[in-house]
């Protein structure tokens, strides 16, 4: 896809004398009818959003790339008159998303791309930092407080604090904030993609904060390969939430947490029941699990995904113990055994009239292509 690209100064530089003219100069050569827009460096400041909203009227696909994760994800004022069909939030870190396109489900296709600790409820980040500073001044020490010498200034490890805040409310009783109340009209969100890092956590946080949006999904793409460690509580939530997606028709799942195989080795138990399309890519060593025989029995049962029409089932992901964050080509012997072990599920699926397909190609350039030897 070819985007029209714009660089903004964002909230950190809102006081600069050329803050607005810097953006206005770029817009002079960009058509007002632009449909695909990429905004980079920062997310726009409030004045920059006003300028963008006044200039553009037809933006359908918007990608926000933040090149400095420490700054605020300022997306509350994305112009509501834009007919957005797809929104991508890229590389945010410990941020609260506030745009109604997400919180009210106004956009049809939402892509959360290599974000980390993205939040859908709670205090804005500037309020979190004030809360921490207050707590530190009063005496109780958060785990995020760092000290060099007894009399040194207390330094805030902001990322750890946001993580601590998230862990606290993951265990809270489910409640809906006013900003997250279901819209009066129809929910537009039908497709959700969550790519890597703590993608399982992001999914669970969204399900807890915006359950009416998640349960409305028809397509879910989730990539989770151990790049961000999930807590046992979160993985338990994932096991509970995923099979509850009764409206989901397409699940595209790349799942291989080599730090904890306890979920992926019984993943067949958690597939949403009414899927018509399943793309599953997992670890080659799944066939060595004590639960592999249970996978085969599950495939034989007509109760497993009775409406399934299209299936991809590939076990080619491999990691070396010293490098969990990078896909390593599986040894020929392991990959060969995995490929052979998948023949019985393929044959069972064909007998059920299910079409076996090649796995869709990831176009992110980072997730690792399927092993050609498969």
């Amino acid at each position: 896809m070819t985007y029209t690209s714009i660089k903004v100064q964002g909230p950190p530089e809102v006081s600069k004398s050329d803050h607005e003219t810097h953006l206005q100069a770029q817009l002079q050569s960009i058509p007002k009818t632009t449909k695909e827009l990429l905004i980079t460096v920062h997310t726009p400041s409030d004045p920059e959003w006003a300028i963008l909203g006044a200039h553009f009227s037809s933006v359908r696909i918007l990608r926000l790339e933040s090149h400095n994760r420490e700054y605020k994800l300022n997306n509350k004022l994305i112009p509501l008159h834009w007919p957005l069909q797809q929104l991508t939030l890229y590389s945010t870190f410990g941020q609260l998303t506030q745009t109604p396109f997400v919180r009210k489900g106004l956009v049809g296709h939402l892509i959360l791309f290599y974000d980390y600790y993205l939040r859908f409820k709670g205090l804005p980040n500037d309020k979190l930092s004030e809360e921490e500073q207050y707590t530190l001044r009063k005496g109780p020490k958060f785990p995020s407080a760092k000290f060099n010498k007894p009399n040194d200034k207390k330094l805030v490890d902001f990322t750890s604090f946001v993580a601590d805040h998230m862990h606290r409310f993951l265990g809270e009783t489910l409640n809906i904030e006013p900003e997250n109340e279901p819209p009066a009209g129809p929910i537009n969100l039908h497709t959700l993609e969550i790519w890597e890092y703590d993608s399982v956590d992001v999914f669970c946080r969204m399900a807890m904060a915006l359950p009416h949006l998640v349960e409305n999904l028809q397509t879910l793409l989730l990539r989770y390969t151990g790049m961000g460690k999930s807590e046992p509580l979160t993985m338990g939530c994932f096991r509970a939430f995923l099979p509850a997606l009764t409206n989901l028709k397409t699940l595209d799942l790349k799942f291989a947490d080599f730090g904890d195989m306890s979920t992926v080795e019984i993943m067949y138990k958690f597939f949403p029941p009414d899927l018509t399309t399943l793309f599953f890519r997992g670890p080659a060593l799944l066939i060595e699990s004590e639960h592999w025989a249970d996978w085969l029995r599950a495939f034989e049962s007509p109760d497993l995904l009775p409406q399934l029409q299209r299936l991809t089932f590939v076990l080619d992901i491999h990691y070396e113990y010293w490098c969990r964050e990078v896909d390593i080509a599986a040894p020929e012997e392991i990959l060969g055994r995995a490929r052979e072990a998948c023949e019985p599920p393929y044959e069972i699926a064909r007998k059920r009239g299910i079409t076996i397909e090649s796995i869709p190609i990831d176009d992110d350039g980072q997730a690792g292509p399927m092993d050609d030897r498969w």
Side-chain angles (χ1 to χ4, degrees), residues 57-61 79-86 101:
S57 60
S58 305
V59 178
R60 298 181 182 275
I61 299 177
L80 293 179
H81 66 273
W82 287 356
L84 279 190
Q85 298 175 357
Q86 178 178 301
F101 281 107

Side-chain angles (χ1 to χ4, degrees), residues 16-74:
K16 291 184 65 174
S17 60
D18 68 339
H19 185 68
E20 296 186 13
T21 57
H22 174 268
L23 175 58
Q24 291 167 340
Q26 297 177 68
L27 296 179
Q28 291 179 3
S29 59
I30 300 177
K32 294 178 178 290
T33 55
T34 294
K35 292 181 172 58
E36 295 87 23
L37 185 62
L38 168 64
I39 301 177
T40 67
V41 183
H42 295 288
T43 49
S45 65
D46 291 355
E48 287 173 322
W49 276 126
I51 293 171
L52 292 168
H55 183 81
F56 295 114
S57 60
S58 305
V59 178
R60 298 181 182 275
I61 299 177
L62 175 63
R63 180 177 173 117
L64 300 179
E65 292 189 358
S66 176
H67 293 178
N68 191 327
R69 296 178 174 181
E70 296 179 3
Y71 290 122
K72 178 181 179 181
L73 172 63
N74 191 50

Side-chain angles (χ1 to χ4, degrees), residues 85-89 97 99 101-103 107-112 118 120 189-194 206 210 213 221:
Q85 298 175 357
Q86 178 178 301
L87 172 63
T88 300
L89 305 181
T97 181
T99 172
F101 281 107
V102 175
R103 304 278 286 265
V107 70
H109 188 168
L110 176 62
I111 303 173
L112 307 177
L118 184 66
F120 305 90
L189 183 64
H190 55 76
T191 300
L192 174 64
E193 300 183 23
I194 312 178
M206 188 172 183
L210 301 163
L213 299 187
L221 179 151

Side-chain angles (χ1 to χ4, degrees), residues 114 196-197 224-228 254 256 258 281 316-330 365-369:
Y114 286 84
E196 292 296 357
Y197 290 144
Y224 182 76
T225 55
M227 295 179 71
K254 177 183 177 183
F258 288 82
R281 185 180 175 199
D316 71 325
I317 305 175
H318 188 70
Y319 288 70
E320 297 295 344
Y321 72 93
W322 49 268
C323 194
R324 286 183 58 227
E325 295 189 3
V326 179
D327 288 358
I328 306 295
Q366 302 180 58

Side-chain angles (χ1 to χ4, degrees), residues 26-290:
Q26 297 177 68
L27 296 179
Q28 291 179 3
S29 59
I30 300 177
K32 294 178 178 290
T33 55
T34 294
K35 292 181 172 58
E36 295 87 23
L37 185 62
L38 168 64
I39 301 177
T40 67
V41 183
H42 295 288
T43 49
S45 65
D46 291 355
E48 287 173 322
W49 276 126
I51 293 171
L52 292 168
H55 183 81
F56 295 114
S57 60
S58 305
V59 178
R60 298 181 182 275
I61 299 177
L62 175 63
R63 180 177 173 117
L64 300 179
E65 292 189 358
S66 176
H67 293 178
N68 191 327
R69 296 178 174 181
E70 296 179 3
Y71 290 122
K72 178 181 179 181
L73 172 63
N74 191 50
N75 64 5
K76 187 175 184 177
L77 296 183
I78 296 176
L80 293 179
H81 66 273
W82 287 356
L84 279 190
Q85 298 175 357
Q86 178 178 301
L87 172 63
T88 300
L89 305 181
Y90 176 75
S91 193
T92 64
F93 197 94
Q95 300 290 325
L96 173 70
T97 181
Q98 295 181 279
T99 172
F101 281 107
V102 175
R103 304 278 286 265
K104 294 293 186 182
L106 301 183
V107 70
H109 188 168
L110 176 62
I111 303 173
L112 307 177
F113 198 68
Y114 286 84
D115 299 306
Y116 198 69
Y117 274 111
L118 184 66
R119 301 182 290 121
F120 305 90
K121 61 177 287 188
L123 299 172
N125 285 31
D126 53 355
K127 299 298 182 182
L128 284 179
S129 59
E130 291 173 5
E131 177 184 337
E132 179 170 42
Q133 293 287 2
Y134 175 81
T135 303
L136 289 173
R137 286 197 303 269
K138 288 296 182 180
K141 299 175 183 177
F142 277 70
S144 55
K146 293 183 177 180
F147 305 90
N148 294 327
K149 297 178 182 178
N151 295 324
D152 277 359
K153 180 180 179 181
K154 298 175 182 179
L155 304 178
V156 174
D157 179 354
F158 184 73
T159 301
S160 296
F161 178 71
V162 173
D164 180 73
H165 181 81
M166 286 308 311
H167 291 319
R168 290 204 306 274
F169 90 67
L170 266 174
E172 291 177 2
T173 302
L174 181 64
N175 60 82
I176 306 298
E177 294 186 348
E179 295 83 358
N180 292 350
E181 289 289 344
I187 294 173
N188 294 333
L189 183 64
H190 55 76
T191 300
L192 174 64
E193 300 183 23
I194 312 178
W195 291 79
E196 292 296 357
Y197 290 144
D198 63 335
S199 55
V200 168
D201 303 63
V202 170
F203 172 79
C204 291
R205 290 195 291 271
M206 188 172 183
M208 294 180 71
L210 301 163
H212 49 284
L213 299 187
V214 172
E215 68 185 10
N216 189 66
L217 291 174
Q218 298 176 31
T219 299
L220 173 64
L221 179 151
L222 193 143
R223 298 287 183 267
Y224 182 76
T225 55
M227 295 179 71
K229 179 66 175 175
S230 287
E231 298 297 328
L233 171 63
T234 307
M235 199 57 72
C237 291
F238 179 68
R239 293 180 179 187
F241 290 143
L242 189 61
L245 302 183
T246 55
N247 290 316
L248 200 71
K249 300 303 179 185
T250 298
L251 176 62
D252 187 343
L253 184 63
K254 177 183 177 183
F255 197 100
D257 183 358
F258 288 82
D260 180 5
M261 291 278 286
S262 62
T263 294
V264 69
E265 65 184 1
I266 55 172
M267 183 63 74
Y268 65 89
K269 295 183 178 181
F270 312 120
F271 292 142
D274 295 326
L275 293 179
T276 58
T277 300
L278 172 63
F279 301 130
F280 180 79
R281 185 180 175 199
L285 292 177
L286 179 61
I287 63 168
E288 296 185 356
S289 166
E290 61 180 319

Side-chain angles (χ1 to χ4, degrees), residues 299-300 308-313 339-358 374:
F299 271 107
E300 291 174 345
L308 195 65
Q309 300 172 14
R310 304 165 60 205
L311 173 67
T312 295
F313 191 79
R339 180 66 179 82
E340 183 179 354
C342 286
E343 280 302 328
Y346 292 162
E347 186 59 30
I348 294 169
R350 293 188 185 100
K351 289 180 179 179
R352 290 176 53 183
I354 299 169
T355 301
I356 305 297
E357 299 187 359
S358 298
W374 187 268

